[in-house]
Amino acid sequence: MSDPVPAPPPGYTGAAWLPRHVAIIMDGNGRWAERRGRPRLEGHAYGAQSVREIVTACRELDSIKALTLYAFSVQNWGRPDEEVEHLMGLLLDYLVEEKSTIMDNGIRLQAIGQIDRLPAKVLGQLRYLEELSKANRDMTLTLALSYGGREEIVLACQRVAARVLAGELAVEAIDESEIEKHLYTHDLPPVDLLIRTSGEMRISNFLLWQVAYAEIVVTDVLWPDFRRPELYASLEQYKGRQRRYGLTGAQVTPPSTGS
Ligand code: FPP
């Protein structure tokens, strides 16, 4: 018999304090396997199981409206061919096997990054599921694939420059919202919570613009071991944070005046 699914802690489901947008750097698959004397590829396969569980768990909480997963960076193309092929295979399996979970749970799936570099089969299934799920509104699952944060900002700059050259935009009119319009994530809320597994204190070229005011939780847990309890522990840390956006603590939480 399989273990019972851990329920969210009391008061979590539908809570207003929950982050609207959670982004995750899924790290540590290789080390997870190496610690067990297993090939790295096995770590990725278990990591794909974590993806399945965390997507469902976030959706169950209801208030999380966007989940963005760093599944493959532009720089990851430089890994050994066998590893890249294995990751692409896992991705394809995920897109095929999770279709009903995505549709039954009102999840809109999209991918961001240099998507055209993906193998034709993966790209085809991705485009199919993006189209099929595009009207879903309960949560947006964004897979960052062949993604780089600097590359995304360069692309946005090129698009803004093209508008200036076409006479559609004055240089003085370039502001944050103009840049944001041209980012892959233009229709997502800002990232509230960035989680990184495996203890590394790095951003690794992920959502550089979007994490400007995100709360960051780094856990030593390796991604294949990151399941519901670890998600709830990260959310509990987030719950205790005071978000200040450059203001003072007193400004964002004025002292209570009593009754
Ligand atoms: C980082 O671990 C992880 C990746 C580069 C790939 C993430 C992929 C998955 C979780 C599985 C497939 C994805 C989906 C969406 C089904 P690492 O290999 O860098 O680990 P290490 O730092 O311990 O070597």
Short mmCIF file of all heavy atoms in Angstrom, two decimals, residues 26-32 34 40 43-45 47-49 51-52 69-73 76 79 83 87 90-91 94 143 145 198 200 222-223, ligand 1:
data_model
loop_
_atom_site.label_atom_id
_atom_site.label_comp_id
_atom_site.label_asym_id
_atom_site.label_seq_id
_atom_site.Cartn_x
_atom_site.Cartn_y
_atom_site.Cartn_z
N MET A 26 15.01 23.68 -9.29
CA MET A 26 14.97 22.27 -8.88
C MET A 26 16.39 21.71 -8.99
O MET A 26 16.82 21.29 -10.06
CB MET A 26 14.03 21.49 -9.80
CG MET A 26 12.64 22.12 -9.93
SD MET A 26 11.50 21.15 -10.95
CE MET A 26 12.18 21.36 -12.59
N ASP A 27 17.12 21.71 -7.90
CA ASP A 27 18.53 21.35 -7.99
C ASP A 27 18.83 20.13 -7.11
O ASP A 27 18.17 19.90 -6.10
CB ASP A 27 19.39 22.54 -7.53
CG ASP A 27 20.85 22.38 -7.91
OD1 ASP A 27 21.15 21.52 -8.77
OD2 ASP A 27 21.69 23.09 -7.35
N GLY A 28 19.83 19.36 -7.51
CA GLY A 28 20.33 18.27 -6.67
C GLY A 28 19.98 16.88 -7.17
O GLY A 28 20.24 15.90 -6.46
N ASN A 29 19.43 16.77 -8.37
CA ASN A 29 19.09 15.43 -8.90
C ASN A 29 20.33 14.54 -9.01
O ASN A 29 20.32 13.36 -8.65
CB ASN A 29 18.48 15.54 -10.31
CG ASN A 29 17.13 16.21 -10.32
OD1 ASN A 29 16.54 16.43 -9.26
ND2 ASN A 29 16.62 16.52 -11.49
N GLY A 30 21.41 15.14 -9.53
CA GLY A 30 22.65 14.36 -9.73
C GLY A 30 23.21 13.87 -8.40
O GLY A 30 23.56 12.69 -8.25
N ARG A 31 23.29 14.78 -7.43
CA ARG A 31 23.84 14.40 -6.12
C ARG A 31 22.98 13.36 -5.43
O ARG A 31 23.47 12.46 -4.76
CB ARG A 31 23.98 15.65 -5.22
CG ARG A 31 25.28 16.38 -5.44
CD ARG A 31 25.21 17.77 -4.89
NE ARG A 31 24.40 18.63 -5.73
CZ ARG A 31 23.97 19.82 -5.38
NH1 ARG A 31 24.25 20.31 -4.19
NH2 ARG A 31 23.25 20.54 -6.21
N TRP A 32 21.67 13.46 -5.60
CA TRP A 32 20.74 12.49 -5.00
C TRP A 32 21.10 11.09 -5.49
O TRP A 32 21.16 10.14 -4.71
CB TRP A 32 19.32 12.87 -5.41
CG TRP A 32 18.24 12.04 -4.79
CD1 TRP A 32 17.56 12.31 -3.63
CD2 TRP A 32 17.69 10.82 -5.30
NE1 TRP A 32 16.64 11.33 -3.38
CE2 TRP A 32 16.70 10.39 -4.39
CE3 TRP A 32 17.94 10.02 -6.42
CZ2 TRP A 32 15.95 9.23 -4.58
CZ3 TRP A 32 17.22 8.87 -6.61
CH2 TRP A 32 16.23 8.49 -5.69
N GLU A 34 24.04 10.17 -7.00
CA GLU A 34 25.43 9.83 -6.66
C GLU A 34 25.54 9.33 -5.22
O GLU A 34 26.26 8.37 -4.93
CB GLU A 34 26.36 11.04 -6.89
CG GLU A 34 26.72 11.21 -8.38
CD GLU A 34 27.10 12.64 -8.76
OE1 GLU A 34 27.38 13.45 -7.85
OE2 GLU A 34 27.07 12.94 -9.98
N ARG A 40 23.41 9.35 -12.56
CA ARG A 40 22.75 10.67 -12.44
C ARG A 40 21.35 10.66 -13.02
O ARG A 40 20.44 11.31 -12.53
CB ARG A 40 23.58 11.73 -13.18
CG ARG A 40 24.88 12.10 -12.55
CD ARG A 40 25.62 13.11 -13.45
NE ARG A 40 24.80 14.29 -13.72
CZ ARG A 40 24.66 15.31 -12.88
NH1 ARG A 40 25.29 15.31 -11.73
NH2 ARG A 40 23.92 16.35 -13.21
N GLY A 43 18.50 10.12 -10.83
CA GLY A 43 18.12 11.29 -10.03
C GLY A 43 17.11 12.16 -10.78
O GLY A 43 16.14 12.65 -10.20
N HIS A 44 17.31 12.32 -12.06
CA HIS A 44 16.37 13.12 -12.85
C HIS A 44 14.99 12.45 -12.90
O HIS A 44 13.97 13.12 -12.84
CB HIS A 44 16.90 13.33 -14.27
CG HIS A 44 18.13 14.20 -14.34
ND1 HIS A 44 18.23 15.39 -13.67
CD2 HIS A 44 19.31 14.03 -14.99
CE1 HIS A 44 19.43 15.94 -13.92
NE2 HIS A 44 20.10 15.13 -14.71
N ALA A 45 15.00 11.11 -13.00
CA ALA A 45 13.71 10.39 -13.07
C ALA A 45 12.93 10.59 -11.75
O ALA A 45 11.73 10.85 -11.77
CB ALA A 45 13.95 8.91 -13.35
N GLY A 47 13.39 13.08 -9.81
CA GLY A 47 13.06 14.51 -9.81
C GLY A 47 11.76 14.78 -10.56
O GLY A 47 10.98 15.65 -10.18
N ALA A 48 11.55 14.03 -11.64
CA ALA A 48 10.30 14.20 -12.40
C ALA A 48 9.09 13.81 -11.54
O ALA A 48 8.01 14.39 -11.66
CB ALA A 48 10.35 13.36 -13.68
N GLN A 49 9.28 12.85 -10.65
CA GLN A 49 8.18 12.48 -9.73
C GLN A 49 7.89 13.63 -8.76
O GLN A 49 6.73 13.89 -8.44
CB GLN A 49 8.55 11.21 -8.94
CG GLN A 49 8.51 9.94 -9.77
CD GLN A 49 7.18 9.80 -10.53
OE1 GLN A 49 7.14 9.87 -11.74
NE2 GLN A 49 6.09 9.64 -9.79
N VAL A 51 8.26 16.73 -9.49
CA VAL A 51 7.52 17.72 -10.28
C VAL A 51 6.03 17.40 -10.24
O VAL A 51 5.19 18.26 -9.96
CB VAL A 51 8.02 17.75 -11.75
CG1 VAL A 51 7.10 18.60 -12.63
CG2 VAL A 51 9.45 18.27 -11.83
N ARG A 52 5.70 16.14 -10.47
CA ARG A 52 4.29 15.73 -10.47
C ARG A 52 3.63 16.07 -9.13
O ARG A 52 2.54 16.63 -9.07
CB ARG A 52 4.17 14.23 -10.74
CG ARG A 52 4.47 13.85 -12.17
CD ARG A 52 4.51 12.32 -12.33
NE ARG A 52 4.39 11.90 -13.70
CZ ARG A 52 5.40 11.82 -14.57
NH1 ARG A 52 6.61 12.16 -14.21
NH2 ARG A 52 5.19 11.42 -15.82
N LEU A 69 8.73 26.45 -12.90
CA LEU A 69 9.78 25.47 -12.59
C LEU A 69 10.93 25.60 -13.57
O LEU A 69 10.73 25.61 -14.80
CB LEU A 69 9.19 24.05 -12.67
CG LEU A 69 8.01 23.75 -11.74
CD1 LEU A 69 7.48 22.34 -12.01
CD2 LEU A 69 8.43 23.88 -10.27
N TYR A 70 12.14 25.68 -13.00
CA TYR A 70 13.34 25.77 -13.84
C TYR A 70 13.75 24.35 -14.20
O TYR A 70 14.41 23.65 -13.42
CB TYR A 70 14.44 26.45 -13.01
CG TYR A 70 15.56 27.11 -13.79
CD1 TYR A 70 15.55 27.24 -15.17
CD2 TYR A 70 16.64 27.66 -13.09
CE1 TYR A 70 16.58 27.88 -15.83
CE2 TYR A 70 17.68 28.30 -13.76
CZ TYR A 70 17.64 28.41 -15.13
OH TYR A 70 18.66 29.05 -15.79
N ALA A 71 13.33 23.91 -15.39
CA ALA A 71 13.52 22.50 -15.76
C ALA A 71 14.76 22.29 -16.62
O ALA A 71 15.34 21.20 -16.62
CB ALA A 71 12.29 21.98 -16.48
N PHE A 72 15.17 23.33 -17.38
CA PHE A 72 16.32 23.15 -18.28
C PHE A 72 16.81 24.54 -18.69
O PHE A 72 16.05 25.32 -19.26
CB PHE A 72 15.88 22.35 -19.50
CG PHE A 72 17.02 21.81 -20.33
CD1 PHE A 72 17.64 20.62 -19.98
CD2 PHE A 72 17.46 22.48 -21.45
CE1 PHE A 72 18.70 20.11 -20.73
CE2 PHE A 72 18.52 21.99 -22.21
CZ PHE A 72 19.13 20.79 -21.85
N SER A 73 18.06 24.83 -18.39
CA SER A 73 18.57 26.16 -18.72
C SER A 73 19.24 26.16 -20.09
O SER A 73 19.58 25.09 -20.63
CB SER A 73 19.59 26.61 -17.66
OG SER A 73 20.78 25.85 -17.79
N ASN A 76 22.28 24.32 -19.85
CA ASN A 76 22.19 22.86 -19.72
C ASN A 76 22.40 22.12 -21.04
O ASN A 76 22.68 20.92 -21.05
CB ASN A 76 20.85 22.43 -19.12
CG ASN A 76 20.71 22.70 -17.63
OD1 ASN A 76 19.60 22.84 -17.12
ND2 ASN A 76 21.83 22.79 -16.91
N ARG A 79 25.51 19.96 -21.28
CA ARG A 79 25.72 18.70 -20.54
C ARG A 79 25.94 17.55 -21.54
O ARG A 79 25.63 17.68 -22.72
CB ARG A 79 24.50 18.41 -19.66
CG ARG A 79 24.42 19.41 -18.51
CD ARG A 79 23.47 18.94 -17.43
NE ARG A 79 23.51 19.89 -16.32
CZ ARG A 79 23.07 19.62 -15.10
NH1 ARG A 79 22.54 18.46 -14.82
NH2 ARG A 79 23.16 20.52 -14.14
N GLU A 83 22.73 12.77 -21.12
CA GLU A 83 21.92 13.40 -20.07
C GLU A 83 20.85 14.33 -20.67
O GLU A 83 19.70 14.35 -20.23
CB GLU A 83 22.85 14.17 -19.11
CG GLU A 83 22.08 14.73 -17.92
CD GLU A 83 22.96 15.18 -16.76
OE1 GLU A 83 24.12 14.68 -16.66
OE2 GLU A 83 22.50 15.99 -15.95
N LEU A 87 16.83 13.91 -20.23
CA LEU A 87 15.97 14.98 -19.71
C LEU A 87 14.84 15.29 -20.70
O LEU A 87 13.69 15.49 -20.29
CB LEU A 87 16.80 16.23 -19.42
CG LEU A 87 17.62 16.17 -18.13
CD1 LEU A 87 18.66 17.29 -18.09
CD2 LEU A 87 16.71 16.25 -16.90
N LEU A 90 12.25 12.61 -20.38
CA LEU A 90 11.42 12.76 -19.17
C LEU A 90 10.38 13.87 -19.36
O LEU A 90 9.24 13.77 -18.92
CB LEU A 90 12.31 13.11 -17.96
CG LEU A 90 13.18 11.99 -17.42
CD1 LEU A 90 14.13 12.54 -16.35
CD2 LEU A 90 12.34 10.86 -16.83
N LEU A 91 10.83 14.90 -20.04
CA LEU A 91 9.94 16.03 -20.31
C LEU A 91 8.79 15.59 -21.21
O LEU A 91 7.61 15.90 -20.94
CB LEU A 91 10.77 17.13 -20.96
CG LEU A 91 10.10 18.44 -21.21
CD1 LEU A 91 9.57 19.03 -19.91
CD2 LEU A 91 11.11 19.40 -21.84
N TYR A 94 6.41 13.49 -19.30
CA TYR A 94 5.60 14.33 -18.41
C TYR A 94 4.45 14.97 -19.20
O TYR A 94 3.30 14.95 -18.77
CB TYR A 94 6.48 15.41 -17.76
CG TYR A 94 5.69 16.32 -16.87
CD1 TYR A 94 5.37 15.95 -15.57
CD2 TYR A 94 5.23 17.55 -17.33
CE1 TYR A 94 4.61 16.77 -14.75
CE2 TYR A 94 4.48 18.38 -16.51
CZ TYR A 94 4.18 17.98 -15.23
OH TYR A 94 3.41 18.80 -14.43
N LEU A 143 6.87 26.06 -17.43
CA LEU A 143 8.12 25.30 -17.45
C LEU A 143 9.17 26.16 -18.14
O LEU A 143 9.00 26.57 -19.30
CB LEU A 143 7.94 23.99 -18.22
CG LEU A 143 6.91 23.02 -17.65
CD1 LEU A 143 6.81 21.78 -18.56
CD2 LEU A 143 7.24 22.60 -16.22
N LEU A 145 12.28 26.25 -20.00
CA LEU A 145 12.98 25.22 -20.79
C LEU A 145 13.91 25.90 -21.77
O LEU A 145 13.46 26.78 -22.52
CB LEU A 145 11.96 24.40 -21.59
CG LEU A 145 10.96 23.57 -20.78
CD1 LEU A 145 9.88 23.02 -21.72
CD2 LEU A 145 11.67 22.42 -20.10
N SER A 198 18.71 21.84 -2.57
CA SER A 198 20.09 21.34 -2.55
C SER A 198 21.10 22.28 -1.91
O SER A 198 22.30 22.04 -2.03
CB SER A 198 20.56 20.90 -3.94
OG SER A 198 21.22 21.93 -4.61
N GLU A 200 22.33 25.21 -2.47
CA GLU A 200 23.21 26.16 -3.18
C GLU A 200 22.61 27.56 -3.11
O GLU A 200 21.43 27.74 -3.36
CB GLU A 200 23.35 25.77 -4.66
CG GLU A 200 23.79 24.35 -4.92
CD GLU A 200 25.24 24.09 -4.60
OE1 GLU A 200 25.97 25.07 -4.32
OE2 GLU A 200 25.65 22.93 -4.61
N LEU A 222 17.41 17.72 -1.36
CA LEU A 222 17.67 17.58 -2.81
C LEU A 222 16.34 17.42 -3.54
O LEU A 222 15.39 16.87 -2.99
CB LEU A 222 18.58 16.36 -3.05
CG LEU A 222 19.92 16.38 -2.29
CD1 LEU A 222 20.71 15.09 -2.54
CD2 LEU A 222 20.76 17.60 -2.65
N TRP A 223 16.29 17.89 -4.79
CA TRP A 223 14.99 17.98 -5.47
C TRP A 223 14.21 16.65 -5.47
O TRP A 223 13.00 16.65 -5.21
CB TRP A 223 15.14 18.54 -6.89
CG TRP A 223 13.82 18.54 -7.60
CD1 TRP A 223 13.44 17.75 -8.63
CD2 TRP A 223 12.68 19.35 -7.27
NE1 TRP A 223 12.13 18.01 -8.98
CE2 TRP A 223 11.64 18.99 -8.16
CE3 TRP A 223 12.42 20.34 -6.30
CZ2 TRP A 223 10.37 19.59 -8.12
CZ3 TRP A 223 11.16 20.94 -6.26
CH2 TRP A 223 10.15 20.55 -7.17
C1 FPP B 1 19.33 20.13 -11.56
O1 FPP B 1 19.95 19.03 -10.92
C2 FPP B 1 18.20 19.67 -12.34
C3 FPP B 1 18.10 19.79 -13.68
C4 FPP B 1 19.16 20.38 -14.52
C5 FPP B 1 16.94 19.27 -14.42
C6 FPP B 1 15.61 19.32 -13.74
C7 FPP B 1 14.76 18.27 -14.34
C8 FPP B 1 13.83 17.53 -13.70
C9 FPP B 1 13.46 17.79 -12.31
C10 FPP B 1 13.13 16.38 -14.34
C11 FPP B 1 12.38 16.61 -15.62
C12 FPP B 1 11.51 17.81 -15.63
C13 FPP B 1 10.16 17.82 -15.84
C14 FPP B 1 9.45 19.10 -15.91
C15 FPP B 1 9.35 16.60 -15.95
P1 FPP B 1 21.47 18.71 -11.23
O2 FPP B 1 21.51 17.66 -12.28
O3 FPP B 1 22.20 19.96 -11.57
O4 FPP B 1 21.93 18.15 -9.84
P2 FPP B 1 23.39 18.24 -9.21
O5 FPP B 1 23.68 19.70 -8.98
O6 FPP B 1 23.24 17.48 -7.92
O7 FPP B 1 24.32 17.59 -10.18
#
